[in-house]
Amino acid sequence: MSYETHPDELEIPGEPSYRADQLRRWLYETPVLTPAQMTNLPASIRDHFGDSHWPFAVETELSADQGATRKWLFRAPDGASIEAVVMGYKKRTTICISSQAGCAMACTFCATGQFGFERHLTAGEIVAQVAYANASLRDSHMTIGRDHITSIVFMGMGEPLANYANVREAIRRMVEVMGLSPRHITVSTVGIVPAIYRLAEEPWPLNLAVSLHAADDETRSSIVPINKRYPIHALTEACAAFFEKTGRRVSIEWTLIAGTNDSMDQAQRLGAIALGMSAHVNVIPLNPTPLSSDRPPDADSVKRFKQAVARTGVPVTIRNTRGREIDAACGQLRSQASVPG
Ligand code: SAH
């Protein structure tokens, strides 16, 4: 009777239907940290939940960047770890959520990939990360940003397009039940080509981010194994089709790794690929992870790479990293603290 129940099917046995509507509002619209705060529900209903109505327990809460970043490690009853990071900015507050516990894609430079796959998250577990963040933000504001989540990125643990049905249902609830704008929801994928075509058919104007990281198949296959199944030409075709169908510009993510994908040749080829699909490029200097000796290039090389991409005529930004000291930065989720056992 909480996030695992479809919101339209919430019903409280022996209670009139308006009680279920009240409960739905506490779960999705004005979430609260504990059932005791659901003040218009009688104690008999709140007691049903015990101390918590969340599908997971909060194992750790960490804060960084002078209170502008907040990270949680949640733990599901079966032991699966779920991580989410909130980042406050002047005009928006973004949550980076997980779609799977662990990840099966095994990208060499990503901490989640290095530790392997646990399981898919349910739609309830995905949407509850956003609801929990809203409850937390209302309870204690961050030093910068809004008092509720305004943007969502599927850039936490897991490959969202490998858990399509649950991710879709979570997005549906975010848009139709929580009132979030689909224009502020970004699905980030390693490049599951058939699922990109499927996403383009969904009824919402979502954003698509594609983790490219290399501009030739040999290099890409060596760091992103799924490239052997869905090579660059198939991926870029799918992205171009997504843009054509939805009118939404795709963004290309490029984790910059010293000596691997930071050459001027890669920058030029990246530019050509991005131009071909009207994409913009987001460069993320690598955040080091425990099981890899990869390092980011020095600041000058990052700048040179960015300029080389910009010279091809493609809009390019360098992503500011948040939360590095709490292992909340890109690719650092699922570091030591969250390894089960
Ligand atoms: N599986 C999805 C979403 C999760 S990763 C995807 O691959 O897009 C979110 C972004 O963080 C991806 O672009 C990913 O490549 C990047 N990333 C992963 N590990 C990183 C690291 N160690 N340093 C910087 N960025 C990293």
Side-chain angles (χ1 to χ4, degrees), residues 34 184 231 240 257 288:
T34 63
H184 297 157
I257 309 170

Side-chain angles (χ1 to χ4, degrees), residues 12-36:
I12 307 175
E15 295 286 340
S17 65
Y18 74 88
R19 290 288 185 212
D21 292 337
Q22 289 172 322
L23 176 60
R24 183 167 39 244
R25 283 197 282 277
W26 289 121
L27 294 179
Y28 292 97
E29 288 167 41
T30 51
V32 281
L33 289 174
T34 63

Side-chain angles (χ1 to χ4, degrees), residues 275-294:
L275 283 174
M277 57 163 99
S278 308
H280 53 85
V281 171
N282 218 312
V283 173
I284 316 155
L286 179 83
N287 296 305
T289 56
L291 298 185
S292 161
S293 54
D294 286 339

Side-chain angles (χ1 to χ4, degrees), residues 109-110 154-156 158-160 188-190 211 213 253 255 284-287 289 330-331:
F109 52 87
C110 173
F154 281 86
M155 295 185 188
E159 168 49 47
S188 177
T189 181
V190 70
S211 295
H213 310 313
E253 291 166 282
T255 295
I284 316 155
L286 179 83
N287 296 305
T289 56
C330 301

